[in-house]
């Protein structure tokens, strides 16, 4: 869900290369989505009848931290850190 929510709406109309990186350690996961758009991600609150624009809102709801940075190669990386469940898998 986090990775799917991160690519911004402008990517729907323009084809971009996207790279997804995942790093895991004992108690957290770091997910990064890198893409060619350098447009700043915007956290929006939208009405119930709107079908798009909730991506970062959902990321903020489930991630411990999230943010973004411009890439030296152009474009940007949007990242999210999530705490992993402790204990045996269900």
């Amino acid at each position: 869900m986090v990775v799917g929510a991160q690519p911004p709406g402008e990517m729907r109309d323009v084809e971009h290369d996207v790279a997804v990186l995942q790093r895991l350690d004992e108690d957290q996961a770091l997910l990064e989505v890198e893409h060619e758009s350098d447009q700043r991600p915007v956290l929006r609150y939208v009405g119930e009848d709107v079908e798009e624009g909730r991506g970062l809102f959902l990321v903020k709801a489930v991630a411990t931290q999230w943010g973004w940075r411009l890439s030296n190669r152009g474009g940007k990386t949007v990242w999210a850190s999530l705490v992993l469940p402790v204990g045996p898998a269900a």
Side-chain angles (χ1 to χ4, degrees):
M1 178 182 81
V2 171
V3 172
Q6 287 188 35
E10 77 264 9
M11 293 181 65
R12 197 171 16 289
D13 300 322
V14 179
E15 186 175 318
H16 288 279
D17 289 331
V18 176
V20 178
L21 303 165
Q22 173 182 318
R23 297 183 190 140
L24 300 173
D25 66 26
E26 292 180 19
D27 62 349
Q28 74 172 8
L30 176 63
L31 303 173
E32 297 182 338
V33 177
E34 181 178 297
H35 44 89
E36 297 173 346
S37 170
D38 61 1
Q39 190 172 28
R40 177 187 177 114
V42 177
L43 180 64
R44 297 187 294 167
Y45 298 92
V46 296
E48 292 178 11
D49 57 338
V50 177
E51 295 183 10
E52 57 190 38
R54 293 183 178 84
L56 287 178
F57 184 76
L58 294 172
V59 171
K60 182 179 182 223
V62 300
T64 307
Q65 297 178 33
W66 73 275
W68 70 283
R69 64 183 176 274
L70 291 174
S71 171
N72 293 334
R73 299 179 306 236
K76 68 173 174 283
T77 300
V78 180
W79 60 269
S81 177
L82 296 97
V83 174
L84 297 175
V86 178

